[in-house]
Amino acid sequence: ETISRLLDNPRPSEISQKSVIEFAEKYIAEVKEKRGQPPAIGLVEAFKSAGSGFMRIMIRKGEADGNPFIGADLKDLGANEVVKSYRPFDKSELTDLFALEMPAEDKLLFSILLATGMRLDEAALLNWSQVKTEDGIRYFSLLDGEDANVIVKNQGSLRNVPIPDVLKLPETGSGRLFSYVVDEDGKANQACSKLLMKHVRKITKMDTKVIHSLRGNLKDLLRDAGVAKELNDFITGHSSGDVAGKYGSGFSLQKRYEAINSVKHPWLS
């Protein structure tokens, strides 16, 4: 609605990359006039992301031929470009978080996010067909297959993630592990984030501590357990992954399993 208002309600096919920049300039000016200071660049980028999601739907519906939001450079337009980085939770906060009363699927999702370092959408969209076993090791497959079309952030995120022993899954079923609403873009992170953040805000009000902070927690815990950075990155999908990597550059499932099991999770016991 904001993008439409500031661009005079254009048809999707009329929106160009120039239009995206025009919107950003108008939005920054409007916020600055109302509040006396420009919006954070992160907020402007959030509008860009939302606009991009809308245009993907319009392309599928035949209302547009391209996505002008992709690649649009909105920096240096006057926004406050100080970007806050997410902070991991303190260990006491993790204890408090997992002690909260909440629906079983919310607690399970929190547990998977912390114990595996998976991104929210990667975990929230999991299907039971993605829970596999190889040489006695159970793992989540984030690789496309006949029975799973996986949504990941990038090619390097296509990987197999060992399930640590401390992570207890419910009895094997069929279909999705979770019931969170999936949007038209095939993602569940918006619905999930709103629900899970209600729990997070009960244990901390810091705006730099969010769902994504759990990935930072596992990164720190793996490092403290002596896991090498390259293997740490591979487990959390910050490297080349199982598909994009060069031949022979990956780590065996056994190595990943040993590394992820080296982390202690007293809050999950």
Side-chain angles (χ1 to χ4, degrees):
E1 291 176 353
T2 303
I3 294 172
S4 176
R5 174 175 59 80
L6 292 177
L7 289 182
D8 261 348
N9 194 28
R11 298 182 64 84
S13 59
E14 297 171 344
I15 300 176
S16 64
Q17 200 156 87
K18 182 179 179 181
S19 306
V20 177
I21 294 172
E22 178 188 347
F23 157 74
E25 290 174 333
K26 287 184 176 180
Y27 176 69
I28 292 168
E30 182 177 82
V31 172
K32 189 173 182 179
E33 183 178 354
K34 286 182 179 178
R35 303 180 185 174
Q37 60 182 16
I41 185 63
L43 186 56
V44 179
E45 291 287 347
F47 271 104
K48 174 184 170 183
S49 178
S52 179
F54 173 78
M55 289 302 293
R56 284 198 296 271
I57 296 171
M58 292 298 100
I59 291 170
R60 288 203 300 266
K61 291 182 177 292
E63 298 291 339
D65 295 323
N67 192 337
F69 287 87
I70 295 177
D73 185 359
L74 305 185
K75 294 184 178 181
D76 302 319
L77 296 179
N80 178 0
E81 299 194 10
V82 176
V83 180
K84 292 182 178 179
S85 57
Y86 297 125
R87 289 182 55 183
F89 295 106
D90 297 337
K91 291 184 178 180
S92 61
E93 291 171 335
L94 288 176
T95 300
D96 292 342
L97 177 63
F98 284 94
L100 291 174
E101 288 190 12
M102 65 178 77
E105 71 171 351
D106 291 0
K107 185 159 288 188
L108 175 61
L109 183 52
F110 273 128
S111 300
I112 291 175
L113 294 173
L114 176 60
T116 67
M118 291 167 64
R119 295 179 177 88
L120 182 55
D121 244 347
E122 292 174 346
L125 293 173
L126 278 171
N127 194 293
W128 279 108
S129 65
Q130 293 173 256
V131 181
K132 301 179 181 294
T133 302
E134 180 180 311
D135 296 329
I137 299 173
R138 286 206 307 171
Y139 64 94
F140 294 121
S141 173
L142 296 181
L143 304 176
D144 284 334
E146 292 181 4
D147 47 7
N149 183 21
V150 180
I151 293 179
V152 291
K153 185 176 181 180
N154 50 49
Q155 185 80 349
S157 299
L158 292 166
R159 66 200 189 283
N160 291 324
V161 184
I163 300 174
D165 296 341
V166 72
L167 183 57
K168 306 303 181 185
L169 299 182
E171 187 175 342
T172 302
S174 59
R176 292 176 59 205
L177 270 70
F178 301 101
S179 63
Y180 303 110
V181 175
V182 177
D183 61 28
E184 288 191 50
D185 218 24
K187 297 186 175 185
N189 60 342
Q190 287 191 4
C192 273
S193 184
K194 287 181 181 179
L195 290 172
L196 298 189
M197 280 304 297
K198 291 179 181 179
H199 304 308
V200 170
R201 287 295 166 251
K202 291 178 183 177
I203 57 112
T204 178
K205 301 299 182 185
M206 289 184 62
D207 59 2
T208 53
K209 293 186 177 182
V210 295
I211 310 299
H212 194 74
S213 298
L214 292 169
R215 277 170 62 76
N217 277 115
L218 184 66
K219 294 285 290 183
D220 288 350
L221 290 167
L222 286 169
R223 182 199 63 220
D224 292 346
V227 175
K229 182 180 184 304
E230 189 178 4
L231 178 52
N232 190 330
D233 288 345
F234 203 98
I235 290 171
T236 53
H238 284 104
S239 65
S240 57
D242 282 317
V243 173
K246 295 179 181 178
Y247 180 76
S249 67
F251 293 90
S252 70
L253 190 63
Q254 179 68 36
K255 283 289 185 184
R256 295 178 224 180
Y257 175 69
E258 291 171 359
I260 211 165
N261 255 331
S262 68
V263 174
K264 306 301 179 185
H265 291 286
W267 29 80
L268 298 185
S269 300

